[in-house]
Amino acid sequence: MIFVTVGTHEQPMNRLVKYIDELKAKELDEEVIIQTGFSTYEPKNCKWQKLFPFQEMDELVAKARIVITHGGPSSFIAPLQKGKIPIVVPRKKEFDEHVNDHQLEFCRAVKERQGNIILVEDVEKLGGILNDYNEIIKKMPSELKSNNERFCSEFEKITDALFEK
């Protein structure tokens, strides 16, 4: 199953919802469930709902083989916490999906620093990425790197060194 979420931002993200719905009609054999948020396009080929309660969203992310999200951190961190590599399609100002391109800029930084998201800047490339998903993720780290864990580990080393003598 492929799960797609565009979040709860009040601007529609019809670009992603429509593309996935059309892709499902043409070439996707597996089940696709879309959380459409405030998008005005209503899918014809996929199961969809505007919003899901948190528990159900969490279950859908856990159950999905592939999770496709917008560029909001909470949406792409959820699959990472379950050991999954999300495909991230940031909302863009040029399509009136957000007030600016902060999602795009943030996702570029996460991709560069963490290397554990598949960033899709051009939705037309999404079909190819879905086809090659299993090969793409083989080369990527799936674990969520925690700065807190690294800090605590380094701090522990320092404190241990202080008390050794």
Side-chain angles (χ1 to χ4, degrees):
M1 183 262 289
I2 296 172
F3 178 60
V4 181
T5 177
V6 300
T8 58
H9 183 71
E10 66 273 4
Q11 289 171 273
M13 195 171 180
N14 292 322
R15 170 178 63 111
L16 178 57
V17 174
K18 184 177 181 188
Y19 183 83
I20 292 292
D21 190 47
E22 291 172 353
L23 198 62
K24 170 66 175 150
K26 293 178 199 168
E27 60 186 81
L28 293 177
D29 290 332
E30 69 188 294
E31 178 182 26
V32 178
I33 300 173
I34 306 174
Q35 178 267 318
T36 62
F38 291 93
S39 300
T40 55
Y41 177 85
E42 294 186 355
K44 297 160 191 59
N45 306 295
C46 302
K47 294 179 183 177
W48 66 279
Q49 193 168 305
K50 285 199 170 288
L51 301 168
F52 289 97
F54 175 81
Q55 183 71 26
E56 196 171 343
M57 284 277 291
D58 195 50
E59 290 169 8
L60 288 166
V61 168
K63 182 180 165 188
R65 181 177 73 86
I66 298 174
V67 178
I68 302 171
T69 78
H70 66 111
S74 293
S75 291
F76 68 75
I77 287 174
L80 286 169
Q81 290 174 325
K82 296 185 181 329
K84 298 179 184 206
I85 301 289
I87 297 173
V88 183
V89 182
R91 290 174 172 270
K92 291 185 176 180
K93 180 178 175 30
E94 73 178 285
F95 301 111
D96 294 321
E97 296 167 343
H98 222 307
V99 296
N100 58 31
D101 283 332
H102 72 277
Q103 281 195 358
L104 178 60
E105 294 164 11
F106 181 71
C107 290
R108 283 177 178 161
V110 170
K111 180 184 175 196
E112 182 180 319
R113 291 180 190 153
Q114 302 293 325
N116 59 0
I117 64 171
I118 300 170
L119 176 60
V120 177
E121 295 189 35
D122 177 359
V123 77
E124 296 295 322
K125 295 182 179 176
L126 192 51
I129 290 169
L130 286 170
N131 287 334
D132 298 336
Y133 180 80
N134 290 335
E135 287 304 310
I136 294 169
I137 66 168
K138 283 180 183 176
K139 304 168 193 149
M140 300 176 72
S142 61
E143 74 277 354
L144 188 58
K145 297 175 187 171
S146 169
N147 288 327
N148 288 342
E149 286 179 23
R150 191 170 69 226
F151 172 82
C152 290
S153 176
E154 292 301 315
F155 186 69
E156 185 176 0
K157 288 177 189 173
I158 293 168
T159 57
D160 285 349
L162 287 172
F163 291 106
E164 274 183 5
K165 296 184 180 194

